[in-house]
Amino acid sequence: MVETKSRTAKKTTFACLSISRRRRNSNGVFESEETAMFEQVGGKRISVLCGLGYWVQGSRCFPWLALNFHMVNSLGLQPSTLQLVQYSCSLPMVAKPLYGVLSDVIYIGSGRRVPYIAIGVFLQILAWGSMATFQGAREVLPSLMAFAMLSNLGASITEVAKDALVAEYGLRYRINGLQSYALMASAAGGVLGNLLGGYLLLRTPPKISFLVFTGLLSLQLLVSLSSKEESFGLPRITETTSVLRSLKKQFSNLQEAIQAEEISKPLIWAVASISMVPLLSGSVFCYQTQVLNLDPSIIGMSKVIGQLMLLCLTVVYDRYLKTLPMRPLIQIVQLLYALSILLDYILVKQINLGVGISNEVFVLCFSSLAEILAQFKLLPFAVRIANMCPQGCEGSVTSFLASALCLSQIVSAFLGVGLVNLMGITSSNYSNLPSGLVIQSLAAMVPLCFMHFVPMSETVVEKEGRKGISKRSRRNRRVGRVSHQENVTYRRERESEEVQR
């Protein structure tokens, strides 16, 4: 029996759905027992908080674009050094599982997600504001790296808290695929960020870009501080044990969750498919700016077109591709990614000029395709793992995924640095860059050989709110995996209830 109720408290509207079951007691009298209640509340507030957060996260590309131009033009870094600096500054993101466990266990005030978002945003304001204000913070490489790492530390804390909040809210109200909308917001931020970055770099020094992004972060901080986590209707976890014991328990739960075959196998494939491909983005960027002499606006617009493509791909996936088998979809995307790397080969060899396509047009249309496909490939994995998070481990599991992917990107970048040094690619010698791109494309084909690690379809875990059920039972129970006897019993109960009514 389903009862629908509505109630208003203060200015918050609660749409309640109560599911009740009628049972016959020992005396033969039917009793009504409320078995579940779902309240979808705080939808507008969480949309503003997380939507703006993912939008600002996507906009991080424009201060980093300014920072890359600054390191190449003002500091005169070599392609390999540039790439080494870029990905060394991402090391704080490897510790995301720690931030996830902390946000799962430790409350700050009345919340365990929103306060962490605010802390991360504040650290980013401190980093980019310092680079915009103090000349030594951006002109001396060690201090520049320190503030860039501080920025990534704040960004990683914010991302972990946002991802956990989205996963927890989606699981609470049975909203599948919120990660698609998060990627849409991030892509929309990337569109505006790259447009703004290319425009500002043509007319202003990089410090202005840092200052503008600091202003966007300040807006996000105000929204975070004004958001109340209790208004989202999420349950508060009460712990009677000490913080240290709770942390140990959370790490144990995380270990158990990622050891499940449904999570570990696709995660292994995703990490391996990234880490085994040597990244040459630093060399390609330096080639475009130093040899082809492309304006920042051209590179910025190419990123804009790439983010628009990512936005369109995400919409298509959410509407039409989400129900397709996962393995063939990932296989096609990986093959397209490997082939799209050869577009940079065409640019470096100037084959595009032979068919009448200028460098500017070619970069605008095709330069960001490989990067966009690499990001889109991860979306089905993010949706799958978010749907399979055990209750109470949303932050630690989603952050472990982000950390593993970040670590694989760092390994890929370091492999690329080794390949660049081995082939003698420098800012004055790009003759071996085409060969390096061919090696990168061939390496991207290798993950196609172990596609059996990728599941055919998504599996959704049925969350259990009762503490009495064992971990093994929670892990083994899956939606749709109900025994035949249970189905028969359930149907008989329903038929009996209908007769009584």
Side-chain angles (χ1 to χ4, degrees):
M1 181 174 63
V2 179
E3 302 174 356
T4 305
K5 308 175 185 178
S6 296
R7 66 172 182 262
T8 303
K10 297 182 180 180
K11 294 184 179 181
T12 304
T13 300
F14 295 76
C16 301
L17 178 65
S18 298
I19 301 177
S20 300
R21 179 179 301 169
R22 298 179 65 190
R23 294 180 179 271
R24 187 191 300 270
N25 61 15
S26 58
N27 298 324
V29 180
F30 280 92
E31 296 178 347
S32 179
E33 175 188 1
E34 187 176 275
T35 59
M37 177 180 288
F38 304 105
E39 297 181 348
Q40 187 172 343
V41 299
K44 292 184 178 180
R45 293 183 179 87
I46 200 170
S47 298
V48 173
L49 175 65
C50 292
L52 178 63
Y54 282 108
W55 183 82
V56 174
Q57 175 184 330
S59 301
R60 293 182 70 235
C61 57
F62 97 81
W64 272 100
L65 180 64
L67 187 60
N68 290 336
F69 271 97
H70 174 71
M71 288 189 290
V72 171
N73 298 330
S74 300
L75 303 184
L77 298 186
Q78 293 289 331
S80 59
T81 307
L82 173 65
Q83 187 165 304
L84 191 63
V85 170
Q86 288 174 333
Y87 287 89
S88 296
C89 293
S90 299
L91 287 174
M93 294 189 170
V94 178
K96 279 185 174 182
L98 175 61
Y99 318 142
V101 169
L102 290 176
S103 68
D104 280 340
V105 174
I106 301 179
Y107 280 81
I108 300 178
S110 59
R112 58 172 183 153
R113 307 298 185 197
V114 177
Y116 288 93
I117 295 177
I119 291 174
V121 173
F122 175 76
L123 293 178
Q124 293 180 78
I125 292 175
L126 183 61
W128 291 109
S130 299
M131 284 191 282
T133 307
F134 305 109
Q135 183 177 358
R138 61 179 181 272
E139 297 296 338
V140 181
L141 185 58
S143 62
L144 183 146
M145 289 185 63
F147 283 110
M149 292 180 72
L150 180 63
S151 168
N152 283 334
L153 173 63
S156 60
I157 295 175
T158 301
E159 290 169 9
V160 165
K162 288 201 308 289
D163 292 343
L165 184 58
V166 167
E168 188 176 2
Y169 191 83
L171 292 172
R172 169 71 172 172
Y173 300 115
R174 306 300 193 268
I175 306 174
N176 187 21
L178 283 181
Q179 289 73 22
S180 301
Y181 296 99
L183 188 58
M184 292 179 197
S186 179
V191 169
L192 181 61
N194 283 300
L195 275 173
L196 186 60
Y199 176 82
L200 289 176
L201 284 175
L202 282 176
R203 294 164 175 80
T204 60
K207 65 178 182 180
I208 302 300
S209 298
F210 304 157
L211 192 61
V212 171
F213 187 64
T214 303
L216 292 179
L217 290 171
S218 301
L219 174 62
Q220 185 185 3
L221 181 62
L222 290 176
V223 172
S224 302
L225 293 176
S226 61
S227 300
K228 302 298 182 182
E229 191 166 326
E230 56 266 23
S231 64
F232 302 149
L234 300 177
R236 183 183 177 94
I237 298 178
T238 57
E239 290 288 346
T240 58
T241 58
S242 63
V243 173
L244 182 59
R245 186 171 299 177
S246 299
L247 290 175
K248 290 182 178 179
K249 178 182 176 183
Q250 197 69 14
F251 275 113
S252 177
N253 293 339
L254 172 61
Q255 183 179 3
E256 182 181 3
I258 61 177
Q259 285 178 348
E261 186 175 301
E262 296 85 355
I263 293 180
S264 61
K265 281 193 172 182
L267 182 60
I268 290 173
W269 189 93
V271 170
S273 67
I274 297 173
S275 59
M276 65 174 50
V277 182
L279 195 63
L280 301 178
S281 59
S283 299
V284 173
F285 177 81
C286 290
Y287 179 84
Q288 292 176 350
T289 56
Q290 295 177 345
V291 177
L292 301 182
N293 296 317
L294 297 179
D295 289 336
S297 59
I298 298 296
I299 297 178
M301 278 301 300
S302 71
K303 302 292 185 182
V304 168
I305 294 175
Q307 293 295 326
L308 286 173
M309 288 191 293
L310 178 62
L311 183 60
C312 293
L313 285 174
T314 307
V315 173
V316 171
Y317 171 80
D318 188 68
R319 289 178 176 266
Y320 306 108
L321 304 180
K322 192 162 55 176
T323 57
L324 295 180
M326 186 175 179
R327 186 183 300 171
L329 176 63
I330 296 299
Q331 190 171 13
I332 293 173
V333 175
Q334 183 68 22
L335 180 60
L336 292 176
Y337 167 67
L339 295 177
S340 64
I341 295 174
L342 296 177
L343 293 172
D344 287 328
Y345 174 88
I346 294 174
L347 178 65
V348 175
K349 297 291 287 187
Q350 294 290 272
I351 299 175
N352 55 295
L353 296 180
V355 295
I357 303 177
S358 65
N359 292 328
E360 290 78 9
V361 173
F362 191 86
V363 169
L364 280 175
C365 297
F366 304 111
S367 178
S368 299
L369 183 58
E371 179 183 352
I372 295 310
L373 288 174
Q375 294 182 45
F376 175 73
K377 178 184 70 176
L378 302 177
L379 177 58
F381 294 98
V383 173
R384 175 184 175 83
I385 293 179
N387 288 337
M388 299 184 67
C389 290
Q391 187 177 17
C393 295
E394 294 85 1
S396 52
V397 173
T398 56
S399 62
F400 183 85
L401 170 66
S403 173
L405 296 177
C406 180
L407 182 60
S408 62
Q409 290 173 351
I410 293 175
V411 172
S412 172
F414 286 0
L415 285 178
V417 170
L419 181 62
V420 166
N421 290 329
L422 182 64
M423 304 188 72
I425 301 173
T426 63
S427 57
S428 58
N429 181 17
Y430 291 97
S431 59
N432 290 328
L433 182 56
S435 301
L437 292 169
V438 172
I439 295 175
Q440 183 184 9
S441 179
L442 293 175
M445 295 282 190
V446 176
L448 296 174
C449 299
F450 50 97
M451 289 298 300
H452 60 278
F453 277 82
V454 181
M456 286 298 296
S457 60
E458 292 187 6
T459 304
V460 182
V461 175
E462 182 182 1
K463 304 300 168 191
E464 296 292 344
R466 298 183 300 272
K467 295 183 179 180
I469 299 178
S470 66
K471 296 179 181 178
R472 181 179 300 273
S473 300
R474 291 199 301 266
R475 185 171 65 249
N476 291 336
R477 291 192 62 177
R478 300 288 185 266
V479 172
R481 296 185 182 179
V482 183
S483 66
H484 176 71
Q485 181 64 33
E486 290 174 341
N487 282 330
V488 173
T489 303
Y490 177 74
R491 285 198 299 268
R492 288 176 178 173
E493 288 181 0
R494 295 286 297 175
E495 292 172 358
S496 175
E497 291 172 10
E498 293 296 334
V499 171
Q500 292 295 329
R501 290 173 184 174

